[in-house]
Amino acid sequence: MKKLGLSAALMAMASPALAQEAQSLDARVNEAFATATGPFVSFIFAPIPGTSFPWIVMWLVIGATIFTVYFGAVQFRFFGHAIKLVKGDYSDPNDAGEVSHFQALATALSGTVGLGNIAGVAVAVGIGGPGATFWMILAGLLGMASKFTECTLGVKYRNEYPDGTVSGGPMYYISKGFNELGLPGGKILAVLFSIFCILGALGGGNMFQANQAHAQITQITGDYPGWITGIIFAAVVFAVIVGGIKSIARVTEKVVPFMGVLYVGAALVVLIVNFNMIGWAFGQIFAGAFTGLGVAGGMVGALIQGFKRAAFSNEAGVGSAAIAHSAVKTKEPITEGFVSLLEPLIDTVVICTMTALVIIISQQLLVDQATGNYMLNEAGTAIATVDGNSGVALTSAAFGSAISWFPFVLAIAVILFAFSTMISWSYYGLKAWTYLFGEGKTTELVFKIIFCIFIVIGAAASLGPVIDFSDAAIFAMAVVNIFCLYFLMKLVRTELASYAGRLKSGEIKPFTH
Amino acid sequence: MSMKLVVGLDGHATGEKALSHAIALAKMAGGAEILVVHIIEWSPYSFHTAEENAMRHKRREEEIALAQDRIVAPAVKAVEEAGLKAAGKVRHGDVADTLDAITKEEKGDQIIVARASDGGFASRLFGSATSNLVMGASVPVTVVN
């Protein structure tokens, strides 16, 4: 009976009527999703009155600038020291076997390096033009100070349980830090952050990944309903996070760094082959940054896109990295702050810039030869591209124009990046969830099941609503986190002054290995 | 000053030969001290998920306790039963480098290990822990077959 049912279903799947039904299921999911998330998205991206500038973008940039000034450009002063810490020069050999600075950094990076660097940059450059790259790099450099602040606090105020496990992140430093300073409202803000963190985990850490992985697969296989990709992804993620099938996670851990190196290597190849165009590409980036070169919204349009995508890609100020970094073994919480400031540098300043350069150099964006400005698509919302591509498809086409087989490698990379980001964010979301509802097997299982359901929704919905919701949810985390960091940053400054003094006096010195 | 022999055990049966040789040597030397060491292979540059990192401290304690119980404690007991002074140590790290580092810290005079028990492509390419130790150690190394 079961067999009959299955074959009937398979036959029906093959029929055009059912295929249409499946497509319309995607459309229904999409519509319901867009309606449900609309008000939240509108609030987060509301423009500053009298301008077209979203207040949230201003919020992130002002935050990063304040941290940069407050800590005296810590990202540049302690850059060399951060490298030494990652190399293990200051690690006690007796702590071998604990989480090293390198490992905490690598884990945090595996959560951020991914689709933001591949698809997100294409969205930024596709809408904001090459000029968006300039603002993205600037946001990346400033964001290093935000990351430093939050990750130092993440380690300082983590929970260490009697069984030796640790839990950390903004929800812990907000409630404990506010308590220590005698400020009211810490608990409420921590709860609010946790709610947004769960939404962020379901949005940017999940739906956006599933959505773009599906887009990448259909580039190769041809179009088919997104929920099918969603179910497959959901099943694999379920096997890892609920079934505890560590082997899948282990393979991903090994392959993802390799893919990252391969991606950067391929981008370098494209850049070396076209090295005579690199100067021109930077010219476009600078010109576009201040004039917009005809993009929708002009210079401000380029700036908004650049800042938005940088924040989405490196998550500086969002608070997610503080969760990942909090497991490190160190007696000095600030050392993890130094290490974490390398993250936006690697993620945004290096990898995102490479993607942007490849897209610009491959001339996927159409230029009006008469004016030298970029041509807009029919809707006037984004730059017209050679094949009408956007998002990950645009990056894929850009690489494909130089290395014909690379889109296949990219497809595998996108799927693996999407997967590793989902695993990372399932953990961030889970930590926020257990902060709200308490630790326990059943509570954890409920979150993990919800997480898997959202993978299916993400793969089925279209890019527009998914990207809006993903951005909105992640930025909502930054609203609470940065607000609280303003109150807590003096605690970090005390740590910084003490550490810098001891480093100078020679009290803190490298171990001879 | 009496001699100190460092015996590196990897938990395989071949380690027993190394230990017996060390005991015999120590007796010949008129009662040398034996330090039994087990290194848990570990690289600070490996990749882990956030969840594994959060559990890492707990896992490390478990790994050390397990190695202490199963490998080091029985060996220390065997040395003491032979009437010699013994101590034990468990540490994470690269096997060859860490064994040598401990020997230097403890002022050991000689390292005794068994021949590498696993072969394969990786050890041909990068060298086994034993061959790396022989090449790089700062004191004489005896490899027991």
Side-chain angles (χ1 to χ4, degrees):
Chain A
M1 191 60 204
K2 258 188 184 170
K3 266 190 183 165
L4 257 177
L6 185 68
S7 52
L10 282 172
M11 274 168 69
M13 285 267 274
S15 82
L18 209 99
Q20 218 167 21
E21 177 116 326
Q23 291 290 4
S24 76
L25 179 68
D26 276 12
R28 281 209 298 276
V29 169
N30 193 32
E31 199 183 309
F33 181 72
T35 316
T37 57
F40 173 61
V41 172
S42 308
F43 168 70
I44 292 290
F45 291 118
I48 296 167
T51 67
S52 59
F53 206 99
W55 68 275
I56 185 70
V57 176
M58 191 62 99
W59 174 259
L60 281 165
V61 177
I62 290 176
T65 312
I66 288 176
F67 299 132
T68 303
V69 174
Y70 187 77
F71 295 113
V74 65
Q75 63 266 60
F76 305 115
R77 286 196 296 136
F78 285 88
F79 179 76
H81 187 62
I83 303 276
K84 285 182 189 158
L85 286 166
V86 175
K87 275 168 58 196
D89 290 1
Y90 289 85
S91 305
D92 186 342
N94 290 317
D95 287 340
E98 299 277 6
V99 178
S100 66
H101 284 303
F102 176 90
Q103 282 162 336
L105 178 68
T107 304
L109 269 174
S110 80
T112 66
V113 173
L115 286 172
N117 307 67
I118 302 173
V121 174
V123 171
V125 177
I127 299 174
T133 316
F134 174 86
W135 300 110
M136 202 168 63
I137 294 172
L138 185 67
L141 291 172
L142 291 172
M144 290 165 79
S146 309
K147 200 76 112 173
F148 160 77
T149 318
E150 62 192 10
C151 290
T152 303
L153 290 166
V155 176
K156 189 171 162 66
Y157 293 103
R158 63 185 166 187
N159 268 11
E160 291 180 59
Y161 300 107
D163 71 352
T165 55
V166 290
S167 274
M171 47 282 184
Y172 294 97
Y173 64 64
I174 293 170
S175 57
K176 288 186 189 174
F178 270 52
N179 212 9
E180 193 176 310
L181 294 170
L183 295 167
K187 186 79 189 168
I188 298 165
L189 287 162
V191 167
L192 197 60
F193 175 85
S194 299
I195 294 169
F196 291 142
C197 183
I198 291 165
L199 292 177
L202 298 176
N206 177 337
M207 296 176 70
F208 176 69
Q209 311 296 328
N211 186 282
Q212 289 294 281
H214 174 67
Q216 182 65 71
I217 297 168
T218 53
Q219 279 274 308
I220 291 168
T221 60
D223 205 17
Y224 69 92
W227 56 265
I228 297 175
T229 309
I231 287 175
I232 296 167
F233 255 85
V236 182
V237 171
F238 188 86
V240 174
I241 65 174
V242 180
I245 300 179
K246 293 267 184 285
S247 53
I248 302 174
R250 239 169 241 145
V251 170
T252 322
E253 281 156 29
K254 304 263 180 314
V255 180
V256 163
F258 172 73
M259 279 294 176
V261 172
L262 191 69
Y263 182 77
V264 173
L268 278 175
V269 168
V270 176
L271 298 182
I272 290 166
V273 169
N274 298 292
F275 79 96
N276 56 337
M277 288 178 75
I278 294 176
W280 169 82
F282 273 107
Q284 292 286 297
I285 289 172
F286 282 110
F290 299 102
T291 66
L293 289 174
V295 303
M299 172 195 155
V300 176
L303 186 145
I304 293 171
Q305 284 305 323
F307 280 149
K308 258 173 84 170
R309 301 264 57 91
F312 186 71
S313 168
N314 66 41
E315 297 164 16
V318 168
S320 52
I323 306 175
H325 280 278
S326 61
V328 74
K329 171 74 184 180
T330 177
K331 290 178 191 77
E332 304 280 350
I334 203 151
T335 55
E336 198 52 30
F338 294 137
V339 168
S340 71
L341 62 77
L342 297 173
E343 228 183 290
L345 182 87
I346 298 168
D347 182 282
T348 308
V349 181
V350 177
I351 305 182
C352 284
T353 306
M354 289 224 174
T355 306
L357 283 173
V358 170
I359 294 173
I360 297 164
I361 282 177
S362 65
Q363 294 177 310
Q364 292 289 313
L365 308 171
L366 297 179
V367 178
D368 181 350
Q369 295 300 338
T371 60
N373 280 348
Y374 286 93
M375 287 158 61
L376 297 184
N377 61 9
E378 278 176 22
T381 50
I383 297 172
T385 53
V386 175
D387 297 313
N389 289 324
S390 67
V392 71
L394 177 58
T395 314
S396 184
F399 274 97
S401 69
I403 310 171
S404 61
W405 48 265
F406 197 73
F408 294 99
V409 178
L410 192 68
I412 298 167
V414 163
I415 294 164
L416 285 168
F417 282 150
F419 181 71
S420 76
T421 307
M422 280 180 193
I423 300 290
S424 296
W425 272 93
S426 75
Y427 178 76
Y428 304 158
L430 182 68
K431 285 285 124 182
W433 183 268
T434 53
Y435 181 81
L436 291 179
F437 303 111
E439 319 236 350
K441 283 226 155 59
T442 320
T443 354
E444 289 183 8
L445 186 66
V446 171
F447 174 76
K448 287 171 178 174
I449 290 170
I450 295 173
F451 191 83
C452 290
I453 292 170
F454 269 77
I455 297 175
V456 184
I457 302 176
S462 68
L463 179 62
V466 167
I467 211 166
D468 286 347
F469 172 71
S470 302
D471 284 1
I474 284 185
F475 288 148
M477 290 166 71
V479 173
V480 182
N481 188 41
I482 292 181
F483 174 78
C484 296
L485 290 180
Y486 289 143
F487 293 97
L488 302 171
M489 63 186 182
K490 59 179 168 194
L491 298 167
V492 180
R493 189 150 79 172
T494 315
E495 294 261 331
L496 179 61
S498 151
Y499 186 86
R502 283 178 290 143
L503 193 65
K504 206 174 170 188
S505 73
E507 191 184 328
I508 295 171
K509 53 179 184 290
F511 282 90
T512 45
H513 287 274
Chain B
M1 204 182 104
S2 75
M3 208 178 168
K4 191 186 262 186
L5 303 176
V6 178
V7 182
L9 296 180
D10 65 356
H12 287 92
T14 46
E16 279 175 29
K17 287 186 189 167
L19 190 66
S20 318
H21 179 73
I23 292 172
L25 207 63
K27 282 182 175 166
M28 273 193 282
E33 184 185 341
I34 292 181
L35 176 65
V36 178
V37 179
H38 173 73
I39 310 293
I40 301 166
E41 183 69 48
W42 165 262
S43 164
Y45 305 111
S46 54
F47 291 84
H48 298 276
T49 62
E51 197 165 3
E52 282 173 316
N53 282 351
M55 306 285 288
R56 187 60 222 156
H57 180 69
K58 188 182 170 192
R59 293 269 173 277
R60 178 180 182 262
E61 301 291 300
E62 288 168 358
E63 286 162 7
I64 292 174
L66 197 69
Q68 187 70 37
D69 282 359
R70 299 257 173 94
I71 302 166
V72 177
V76 168
K77 198 173 159 220
V79 176
E80 282 171 346
E81 278 170 3
L84 296 162
K85 199 177 161 196
K89 237 180 203 299
V90 177
R91 199 181 278 176
H92 286 74
D94 173 81
V95 174
D97 290 350
T98 315
L99 198 53
D100 189 47
I102 291 177
T103 308
K104 278 196 269 186
E105 273 167 37
E106 299 287 333
K107 299 190 171 53
D109 298 291
Q110 194 183 139
I111 301 173
I112 299 162
V113 288
R115 194 185 58 189
S117 41
D118 47 354
F121 179 72
S123 62
R124 277 170 199 274
L125 192 64
F126 303 112
S128 68
T130 310
S131 57
N132 289 347
L133 183 70
V134 170
M135 305 275 238
S138 42
V139 295
V141 178
T142 303
V143 181
V144 182
N145 267 321

